Amino acid sequence: MEKINGTGVSPGIAIGKAFVIKKAEVAVSGILLKGENEVIANVAAFNNAIEVAVNELEVIKLSLAGTDFEILETQIELISDPQIAEDVIEKIQSERKTANDAVIEVIANVVEVFESMDDEYMRARTADIKDIGSRILKHLNNTKTNTARFKPDSIIIADDLSPSDTITMDIKHVNGFATRTGSKTSHAAIIAKAKGIPAVVGCGDSLSTIQNDDVIILDGTSGLLYIDPAEETINEFRLKSEIQKQQSEKLKALKNRPAITTDGKKVMLSANISGAADMDDVHENGGEGIGLFRTELLFMDRTSFPTEDEQFKFYKQAALQSKGKPVIVRTIDIGGDKQLPYFNIPAELNPFLGYRAIRICLDQTDLFITQLKAILRAGVFGDLLIMFPMISNIQEVRAAKNILEKAKEELLAENIPFKANMKVGIMIEIPSAAVTADILAKEVDFFSIGTNDLCQYTLAVDRMNEKITHLYDPFNPGVLRLINNILEQGRKHHIHVGMCGEMAGDPLAALLLLGMGLEEFSMSASSIPTIKNTIINHSEADAKQVYRAVMTMDSSDEITAYLKAQFV
Ligand code: PEP
Ligand code: MG
């Protein structure tokens, strides 16, 4: 039996057979295009792939010097060669080849020509041709996982899963998933948790030893994978899984009990959702509201932006199904690791520091107004609040609020009913916002602390990079001081402060956050019963003691050891 160590991101035990998703395979399909529409679509896909590939090379080039820079220049020249484009398009149009097949064939021809040249320099260019071929194909075959192929009891083994792969996954056939890359707060991990699929990420290269149909035990709590385990190990884990299920059923029985400490302090336990489909889980686990409705998932898994009416229906459905509970709707947070196939953001060297979220919305105001109008309209059907992500300064808040007013004016002029006095809040997930919470508090009705990003930006640790996952630490005293400041300023300015980052659902953090004065904990619905269990079994006075002790400590090692000791 082989054992692989990764990061457990979604608890639970899964037993099943490996379904290995390979990186996009590049092979001639032999498929011939059927009609004119398919021809047009393939030409467009090819042109788009070239554009994205050139942009990507341009960005990489900026960071290079000397020979590397020249290689990139050559590649850009080759990839933009009109002859290559002409040959590919000719094959698509006249020979009815798919863009994929046409690119493979044209590149193979060019390689052959270059290989037969006398000039040594030119012969050496074959590597560049092959390289650009792979680059175009990579963008062309930006394929999604065909989840329909999953056999029952599959454990998905993949390099990485994009958020849209994860949301479209047919979970009735998937027992768990393990990926080579990723970390606790990568979006695929968050979605897995929301769907209750045990998951382990950041397993590294050892994952490549797994073959299709290998028997796997995946422990999403400890982050371990067991490959081809003995029968008795399987039985041992089946038993463990049964016990975990019973414990979780027991905790679910707390569903209707409010989250009140033994000395009478009430806190609100809410859920993070991606659509109305998640709402049943929220009610079942006793969620009192939605602290974060991630709307961008509506924008994924499609080929164009949803219209105002499509969005309106989506938000209205969530509003209706919320049964009167408050729902914080976050405006679109694309960029970073959340890319849309139809919205071409040129490749960036630092996507998490780049063109993302509110930055896109303030730049492309049409897109923003459409979403705001849809949310305002849906507000007639439930207690919706609006929240802007990735705020770094007060100008952005004011600009976003101005656009919100414009959206209202448009709805008024169109005579369409909407909720005029919808509360407006912001995510505090950038250190500058955390430090200037006193300034920002004057502009908004509420804050929600996004620890996933706050942690990555404060500690300069990419939340997606498994190599540095040990540095991604919400218990770092620097992060805790920022959170404490946000809560203090919220109290001082009498605005509601919640937390919707993953830390809010971490049992180890619950007492500390309660002691700090957090009013709303918003998390994956499945985490609510565990956090509630902690709250109802402790007093606020004890939690304050924990908070005071933690704030005197120097390191996260000391802090986490102390917090663990509170539960023994
Ligand atoms: C966060 O950053 O903590 C957050 C909740 O937003 P997201 O994970 O969607 O970036
Ligand atoms: Mg965020």
Side-chain angles (χ1 to χ4, degrees), residues 97-225:
K97 301 246 156 109
T98 61
N100 177 75
D101 290 3
V103 170
I104 295 174
E105 289 182 12
V106 169
I107 294 294
N109 290 344
V110 182
V111 165
E112 211 175 294
V113 172
F114 272 67
E115 270 174 348
S116 63
M117 285 181 177
D118 291 336
D119 184 322
E120 201 181 322
Y121 174 81
M122 293 307 275
R123 268 204 317 275
R125 298 284 66 74
T126 28
D128 289 317
I129 307 278
K130 284 183 184 163
D131 210 12
I132 61 156
S134 317
R135 195 173 289 280
I136 301 170
L137 289 168
K138 180 182 91 179
H139 292 297
L140 199 54
N141 292 316
N142 196 6
T143 43
K144 289 203 298 143
T145 315
N146 180 2
T147 54
R149 295 171 304 166
F150 296 156
K151 296 182 204 154
D153 295 328
S154 288
I155 306 267
I156 308 302
I157 307 291
D159 200 47
D160 187 19
L161 288 170
S162 70
S164 59
D165 281 341
T166 322
I167 41 167
T168 52
M169 196 178 271
D170 180 4
I171 56 164
K172 74 173 182 293
H173 284 146
V174 175
N175 286 6
F177 76 69
T179 59
R180 189 178 65 79
T181 61
S183 67
K184 260 194 174 125
T185 57
S186 48
H187 288 95
I190 292 172
I191 297 163
K193 204 159 151 193
K195 289 191 170 192
I197 308 173
V200 177
V201 303
C203 299
D205 291 335
S206 32
L207 217 56
S208 60
T209 57
I210 299 177
Q211 306 289 326
N212 269 331
D213 293 328
D214 280 352
V215 175
I216 310 269
I217 297 174
L218 180 152
D219 185 343
T221 313
S222 66
L224 284 171
L225 292 186

Side-chain angles (χ1 to χ4, degrees), residues 515-565:
M516 274 188 180
L518 184 66
E519 294 165 357
E520 179 180 4
F521 296 61
S522 191
M523 62 203 88
S524 302
S526 59
S527 302
I528 292 177
T530 310
I531 299 298
K532 188 182 280 182
N533 197 37
T534 301
I535 303 278
I536 62 179
N537 284 304
H538 290 85
S539 68
E540 187 190 19
D542 284 349
K544 283 204 184 310
Q545 187 96 27
V546 166
Y547 152 62
R548 278 193 290 270
V550 164
M551 294 314 270
T552 64
M553 296 178 186
D554 298 339
S555 72
S556 75
D557 284 351
E558 193 184 354
I559 293 168
T560 46
Y562 170 78
L563 291 175
K564 276 182 193 152

Side-chain angles (χ1 to χ4, degrees), residues 193-361:
K193 204 159 151 193
K195 289 191 170 192
I197 308 173
V200 177
V201 303
C203 299
D205 291 335
S206 32
L207 217 56
S208 60
T209 57
I210 299 177
Q211 306 289 326
N212 269 331
D213 293 328
D214 280 352
V215 175
I216 310 269
I217 297 174
L218 180 152
D219 185 343
T221 313
S222 66
L224 284 171
L225 292 186
Y226 302 83
I227 326 297
D228 285 330
E231 199 54 39
E232 71 190 44
T233 314
I234 297 181
N235 290 337
E236 189 190 311
F237 273 88
R238 283 220 169 95
L239 187 66
K240 216 168 156 184
S241 161
E242 204 40 53
I243 294 170
Q244 281 182 2
K245 276 187 195 137
Q246 282 169 9
Q247 275 169 346
S248 110
E249 286 309 311
K250 235 164 130 185
L251 287 179
K252 268 196 188 171
L254 300 173
K255 175 177 143 183
N256 296 320
R257 192 165 155 182
I260 301 179
T261 60
T262 53
D263 53 356
K265 169 76 184 172
K266 160 101 180 69
V267 294
M268 184 171 176
L269 299 186
S270 301
N272 298 345
I273 63 165
S274 304
D278 298 334
M279 211 59 102
D280 283 349
D281 270 351
V282 178
H283 299 309
E284 204 169 299
N285 285 288
E288 296 167 87
I290 304 302
L292 169 63
F293 178 0
R294 285 187 168 95
T295 59
E296 56 278 359
L297 295 182
L298 159 72
F299 291 68
M300 294 173 173
D301 195 29
R302 40 183 305 136
T303 52
S304 60
F305 277 108
T307 62
E308 183 188 315
D309 272 342
E310 280 174 316
Q311 291 192 51
F312 164 62
K313 281 190 196 126
F314 187 72
Y315 308 140
K316 176 181 165 186
Q317 209 181 353
L320 290 174
Q321 290 186 23
S322 66
K323 300 187 181 164
K325 295 172 182 174
V327 180
I328 298 180
V329 186
R330 180 177 74 180
T331 58
I332 189 166
D333 184 16
I334 47 170
D337 68 329
K338 288 176 274 192
Q339 301 291 335
L340 306 179
Y342 52 90
F343 182 62
N344 186 10
I345 300 176
E348 297 175 300
L349 277 182
N350 292 301
F352 275 110
L353 300 182
Y355 195 53
R356 175 181 177 195
I358 198 74
R359 299 166 183 187
I360 296 178
C361 290

Side-chain angles (χ1 to χ4, degrees), residues 185-187 190 272 292 294 296 330 333 337-338 352 356 387 389-390 427-429 448-457 463 472 499-503:
T185 57
S186 48
H187 288 95
I190 292 172
N272 298 345
L292 169 63
R294 285 187 168 95
E296 56 278 359
R330 180 177 74 180
D333 184 16
D337 68 329
K338 288 176 274 192
F352 275 110
R356 175 181 177 195
M387 175 160 77
M390 289 290 292
M427 288 200 66
I428 304 285
E429 52 185 340
S448 184
I449 307 173
T451 49
N452 306 340
D453 278 316
L454 185 61
C455 208
Q456 87 164 336
Y457 296 133
R463 64 194 261 192
Y472 185 94
M499 177 181 285
C500 61
E502 290 303 290
M503 191 182 191

